[in-house]
Amino acid sequence: MKVSREEKQARREQKQALRRDRQEKRRQVLIIFGAGGAAAVAAGIPVAGVLLAPALTPKQTAWRAVGNVNDFQVGQTAEVKFRVADPREGQDVSSTVGAWLRRTSERRFVCFQMNCTHLGCPVHWVPSSELFLCPCHGGVYDQTGRNVAGPPRIPLRRHSVRLVGDTVEVLAQPIPLPALLGGTK
């Protein structure tokens, strides 16, 4: 059975038409996926910005004077207040925060953040027992800030302290609340 030239030509044209249809469908699929991908990227940029901003934002710190060396007695713990910039609160809003400053010797001090490392509640110094107590969930810390009872798993966080002449200065920094943010550091 012999195939005529016209039939061969018709078959070639059919094959070419099928190829063109397939190519057109591929282009349409690529266009749809490309547009969808572009839309996903465009929608993801703000989300990525929100997620990455805390990691990319430098922590704001500053040395703050909290008193004269003679204002604090050796072996005593006193509450001090100072201004600290905390970017989590908004556009670099400054606020006053408290801390516990303990004078350990004539020229040495240790300063504890006032927030419990469990959920961030303020801890209170109880001089008679020489313990920091958290009233929210029963967290207990000794005079060195080490957790000794209750749910906190880590010691009280510390602020760096330095003496400039006779002025005691504390390094102010944002207060991390690890349990609320899902971490432990």
Side-chain angles (χ1 to χ4, degrees), residues 21-110:
D21 286 346
R22 284 187 198 134
Q23 288 175 343
E24 184 61 31
K25 286 181 184 176
R26 284 185 194 135
R27 277 190 208 108
Q28 289 173 351
V29 168
L30 288 174
I31 288 170
I32 290 169
F33 279 115
V41 168
I45 289 172
V47 173
V50 168
L51 294 175
L52 295 176
L56 300 176
T57 303
K59 293 193 186 224
Q60 295 185 0
T61 60
W63 289 98
R64 304 284 192 222
V66 293
N68 187 289
V69 172
N70 298 323
D71 296 339
F72 307 99
Q73 295 178 0
V74 174
Q76 297 294 309
T77 301
E79 181 179 353
V80 294
K81 294 189 182 235
F82 52 89
R83 299 201 46 88
V84 59
D86 189 344
R88 290 180 297 115
E89 292 185 37
Q91 299 297 319
D92 301 326
V93 175
S94 288
S95 61
T96 301
V97 296
W100 294 106
L101 183 69
R102 182 171 183 80
R103 187 171 183 181
T104 58
S105 70
E106 287 301 315
R107 303 290 293 172
R108 298 195 72 160
F109 290 83
V110 63

Side-chain angles (χ1 to χ4, degrees), residues 8-24:
K8 286 182 182 179
Q9 184 65 28
R11 286 183 187 169
R12 271 189 237 129
E13 288 173 5
Q14 260 183 338
K15 286 181 183 179
Q16 288 174 350
L18 284 173
R19 276 190 214 121
R20 282 193 298 270
D21 286 346
R22 284 187 198 134
Q23 288 175 343
E24 184 61 31

